[in-house]
Amino acid sequence: MTIRRILHYPDPRLRRQANPVPEVTDDIRRLVDDMAETMYDAPGIGLAAIQVNEPWRLIVIDISQTRDRLQVFINPEILSREGEQELEEGCLSVPGIYEPVARAHSIRARALNRDGQAFEIEAEHLLASCIQHEIDHLDGKVFVDYLSRLKQSRIRKKLEKQQQLAM
Ligand code: NI
């Protein structure tokens, strides 16, 4: 397994539309394992393939305290949304920034697991926000997009400065 480099906002590669995974092959499983390792190492609670520069519809999530409940969603789709909540979100592609984002409180989603088997899940609270956040990534969206223009431009400047310092 390999820890992959995570793209940072405002990298334009985060704006790509991810492609559906045509078949869950060993290559895809290797990518899943790399993404899990990258997420745990960061550490974070969710990661979309697009964030490691792999434009596939694939996300990994682990919201457990014990960090041993990996959830893999390949070609995820939200079937229904209910209610509303506003939770503070962060993102491994937007380091150091935490802002509240309004999303559905509970969702029903379907996806394929690491073995390529279809499953459905009902999620609420943190897991619901997390799944919605990660699926946004697959459509080229970052949580910063939900914030005011002023906040977006502050965050962009701050991260561009950090990236210059890191070079
Ligand atoms: Ni994110």
Side-chain angles (χ1 to χ4, degrees):
M1 285 189 280
T2 313
I3 291 171
R4 305 287 194 101
R5 192 164 156 223
I6 298 173
L7 302 177
H8 283 177
Y9 180 86
D11 193 311
R13 288 172 289 182
L14 289 169
R15 297 303 184 186
R16 285 181 300 172
Q17 183 79 26
N19 302 303
V21 173
E23 195 190 341
V24 181
T25 58
D26 286 345
D27 281 344
I28 288 295
R29 272 187 277 275
R30 256 190 294 276
L31 176 57
V32 166
D33 295 343
D34 284 357
M35 284 172 57
E37 196 174 12
T38 305
M39 174 184 74
Y40 287 124
D41 175 72
I45 61 169
L47 188 69
I50 202 97
Q51 292 177 273
V52 294
N53 202 22
E54 297 276 1
W56 297 108
R57 299 190 75 82
L58 199 173
I59 66 186
V60 294
I61 290 176
D62 188 343
I63 58 161
S64 72
Q65 298 287 336
T66 44
R67 314 295 284 152
D68 58 359
R69 297 276 170 86
L70 181 68
Q71 291 179 283
V72 177
F73 299 81
I74 299 171
N75 298 340
E77 270 178 90
I78 293 177
L79 304 172
S80 62
R81 304 167 195 257
E82 253 181 79
E84 235 186 84
Q85 64 183 358
E86 198 173 58
L87 299 186
E88 190 163 271
E89 296 187 14
C91 179
L92 292 175
S93 292
V94 194
I97 307 291
Y98 300 90
E99 293 285 347
V101 177
R103 298 191 189 269
H105 164 79
S106 56
I107 61 164
R108 195 166 174 81
R110 110 174 125 213
L112 303 177
N113 66 17
R114 195 180 174 283
D115 299 317
Q117 288 161 337
F119 68 96
E120 280 192 22
I121 184 174
E122 273 177 50
E124 51 178 33
H125 299 298
L126 178 59
L127 183 58
S129 274
C130 194
I131 293 171
Q132 292 171 83
H133 173 124
E134 299 308 332
I135 290 180
D136 270 357
H137 276 301
L138 306 182
D139 296 319
K141 258 199 223 168
V142 182
F143 84 101
V144 174
D145 302 348
Y146 294 102
L147 307 177
S148 70
R149 292 262 169 186
L150 181 64
K151 273 189 180 168
Q152 289 185 37
S153 95
R154 277 193 196 141
I155 292 168
R156 176 182 288 263
K157 277 183 196 141
K158 192 176 168 191
L159 288 180
E160 279 171 348
K161 205 167 155 191
Q162 278 175 8
Q163 280 160 53
Q164 277 162 9
L165 290 173
M167 272 195 244

mmCIF file of all heavy atoms in Angstrom, residues 46-48 51 89-94 133-134 137 141-143, ligand 1:
data_model
loop_
_atom_site.group_PDB
_atom_site.id
_atom_site.type_symbol
_atom_site.label_atom_id
_atom_site.label_comp_id
_atom_site.label_asym_id
_atom_site.label_seq_id
_atom_site.Cartn_x
_atom_site.Cartn_y
_atom_site.Cartn_z
ATOM 1 N N GLY A 46 -12.636 11.002 5.608
ATOM 2 C CA GLY A 46 -13.156 10.661 4.294
ATOM 3 C C GLY A 46 -12.195 11.124 3.208
ATOM 4 O O GLY A 46 -11.451 12.083 3.401
ATOM 5 N N LEU A 47 -12.201 10.393 2.097
ATOM 6 C CA LEU A 47 -11.331 10.768 0.982
ATOM 7 C C LEU A 47 -11.971 10.284 -0.315
ATOM 8 O O LEU A 47 -12.466 9.161 -0.391
ATOM 9 C CB LEU A 47 -9.947 10.118 1.164
ATOM 10 C CG LEU A 47 -8.846 10.534 0.191
ATOM 11 C CD1 LEU A 47 -8.419 11.993 0.416
ATOM 12 C CD2 LEU A 47 -7.622 9.624 0.332
ATOM 13 N N ALA A 48 -11.959 11.144 -1.322
ATOM 14 C CA ALA A 48 -12.467 10.784 -2.642
ATOM 15 C C ALA A 48 -11.284 10.588 -3.580
ATOM 16 O O ALA A 48 -10.257 11.263 -3.449
ATOM 17 C CB ALA A 48 -13.380 11.892 -3.175
ATOM 18 N N GLN A 51 -9.249 13.348 -5.078
ATOM 19 C CA GLN A 51 -8.311 14.089 -4.232
ATOM 20 C C GLN A 51 -6.891 13.553 -4.319
ATOM 21 O O GLN A 51 -5.941 14.232 -3.920
ATOM 22 C CB GLN A 51 -8.770 14.056 -2.766
ATOM 23 C CG GLN A 51 -10.045 14.833 -2.503
ATOM 24 C CD GLN A 51 -10.464 14.698 -1.055
ATOM 25 O OE1 GLN A 51 -11.151 13.771 -0.692
ATOM 26 N NE2 GLN A 51 -10.023 15.612 -0.207
ATOM 27 N N GLU A 89 -17.475 21.360 8.757
ATOM 28 C CA GLU A 89 -16.738 20.442 7.896
ATOM 29 C C GLU A 89 -15.308 20.914 7.681
ATOM 30 O O GLU A 89 -15.026 22.112 7.721
ATOM 31 C CB GLU A 89 -17.435 20.326 6.519
ATOM 32 C CG GLU A 89 -18.815 19.723 6.634
ATOM 33 C CD GLU A 89 -19.463 19.437 5.288
ATOM 34 O OE1 GLU A 89 -18.768 19.447 4.250
ATOM 35 O OE2 GLU A 89 -20.686 19.186 5.296
ATOM 36 N N GLY A 90 -14.461 19.936 7.425
ATOM 37 C CA GLY A 90 -13.104 20.212 7.003
ATOM 38 C C GLY A 90 -12.840 19.313 5.806
ATOM 39 O O GLY A 90 -13.721 18.554 5.397
ATOM 40 N N CYS A 91 -11.667 19.395 5.226
ATOM 41 C CA CYS A 91 -11.378 18.598 4.038
ATOM 42 C C CYS A 91 -9.867 18.439 3.923
ATOM 43 O O CYS A 91 -9.134 19.406 4.110
ATOM 44 C CB CYS A 91 -11.924 19.311 2.806
ATOM 45 S SG CYS A 91 -11.600 18.440 1.268
ATOM 46 N N LEU A 92 -9.415 17.232 3.601
ATOM 47 C CA LEU A 92 -7.967 17.006 3.479
ATOM 48 C C LEU A 92 -7.377 17.829 2.333
ATOM 49 O O LEU A 92 -6.175 18.060 2.312
ATOM 50 C CB LEU A 92 -7.684 15.512 3.282
ATOM 51 C CG LEU A 92 -7.986 14.643 4.510
ATOM 52 C CD1 LEU A 92 -7.784 13.168 4.183
ATOM 53 C CD2 LEU A 92 -7.133 15.061 5.702
ATOM 54 N N SER A 93 -8.217 18.282 1.408
ATOM 55 C CA SER A 93 -7.729 19.132 0.318
ATOM 56 C C SER A 93 -7.760 20.615 0.677
ATOM 57 O O SER A 93 -7.326 21.447 -0.122
ATOM 58 C CB SER A 93 -8.556 18.901 -0.953
ATOM 59 O OG SER A 93 -8.304 17.602 -1.457
ATOM 60 N N VAL A 94 -8.315 20.920 1.855
ATOM 61 C CA VAL A 94 -8.392 22.321 2.291
ATOM 62 C C VAL A 94 -7.869 22.382 3.734
ATOM 63 O O VAL A 94 -8.617 22.661 4.668
ATOM 64 C CB VAL A 94 -9.849 22.853 2.211
ATOM 65 C CG1 VAL A 94 -9.878 24.371 2.317
ATOM 66 C CG2 VAL A 94 -10.537 22.415 0.920
ATOM 67 N N HIS A 133 -20.464 15.178 1.277
ATOM 68 C CA HIS A 133 -19.219 15.922 1.029
ATOM 69 C C HIS A 133 -18.328 15.171 0.027
ATOM 70 O O HIS A 133 -17.813 15.755 -0.928
ATOM 71 C CB HIS A 133 -18.497 16.111 2.374
ATOM 72 C CG HIS A 133 -17.121 16.709 2.307
ATOM 73 N ND1 HIS A 133 -16.774 17.858 2.997
ATOM 74 C CD2 HIS A 133 -15.989 16.311 1.658
ATOM 75 C CE1 HIS A 133 -15.495 18.142 2.756
ATOM 76 N NE2 HIS A 133 -14.993 17.211 1.955
ATOM 77 N N GLU A 134 -18.187 13.854 0.245
ATOM 78 C CA GLU A 134 -17.297 13.076 -0.627
ATOM 79 C C GLU A 134 -17.882 12.918 -2.037
ATOM 80 O O GLU A 134 -17.142 12.977 -3.028
ATOM 81 C CB GLU A 134 -17.001 11.701 -0.018
ATOM 82 C CG GLU A 134 -16.308 11.723 1.346
ATOM 83 C CD GLU A 134 -15.051 12.576 1.397
ATOM 84 O OE1 GLU A 134 -14.381 12.745 0.363
ATOM 85 O OE2 GLU A 134 -14.748 13.096 2.490
ATOM 86 N N HIS A 137 -17.122 15.813 -4.159
ATOM 87 C CA HIS A 137 -15.787 15.770 -4.770
ATOM 88 C C HIS A 137 -15.826 15.082 -6.140
ATOM 89 O O HIS A 137 -15.129 15.499 -7.070
ATOM 90 C CB HIS A 137 -14.811 14.989 -3.888
ATOM 91 C CG HIS A 137 -14.193 15.793 -2.782
ATOM 92 N ND1 HIS A 137 -13.438 16.926 -3.020
ATOM 93 C CD2 HIS A 137 -14.197 15.627 -1.440
ATOM 94 C CE1 HIS A 137 -13.001 17.414 -1.849
ATOM 95 N NE2 HIS A 137 -13.454 16.650 -0.877
ATOM 96 N N LYS A 141 -16.781 19.278 -6.924
ATOM 97 C CA LYS A 141 -17.164 20.313 -5.954
ATOM 98 C C LYS A 141 -16.371 20.171 -4.667
ATOM 99 O O LYS A 141 -16.093 19.060 -4.226
ATOM 100 C CB LYS A 141 -18.639 20.141 -5.593
ATOM 101 C CG LYS A 141 -19.558 21.107 -6.277
ATOM 102 C CD LYS A 141 -20.861 21.145 -5.500
ATOM 103 C CE LYS A 141 -22.045 21.135 -6.415
ATOM 104 N NZ LYS A 141 -23.286 20.878 -5.687
ATOM 105 N N VAL A 142 -16.067 21.310 -4.054
ATOM 106 C CA VAL A 142 -15.351 21.339 -2.782
ATOM 107 C C VAL A 142 -16.239 22.085 -1.779
ATOM 108 O O VAL A 142 -16.995 22.977 -2.180
ATOM 109 C CB VAL A 142 -13.991 22.060 -2.964
ATOM 110 C CG1 VAL A 142 -13.190 22.075 -1.680
ATOM 111 C CG2 VAL A 142 -13.174 21.387 -4.076
ATOM 112 N N PHE A 143 -16.177 21.747 -0.485
ATOM 113 C CA PHE A 143 -17.124 22.350 0.475
ATOM 114 C C PHE A 143 -17.012 23.861 0.548
ATOM 115 O O PHE A 143 -17.974 24.548 0.882
ATOM 116 C CB PHE A 143 -16.993 21.693 1.866
ATOM 117 C CG PHE A 143 -15.906 22.247 2.751
ATOM 118 C CD1 PHE A 143 -16.224 23.143 3.765
ATOM 119 C CD2 PHE A 143 -14.592 21.883 2.590
ATOM 120 C CE1 PHE A 143 -15.232 23.661 4.603
ATOM 121 C CE2 PHE A 143 -13.597 22.389 3.411
ATOM 122 C CZ PHE A 143 -13.911 23.286 4.419
HETATM 123 NI NI NI B 1 -13.068 16.801 1.184
#
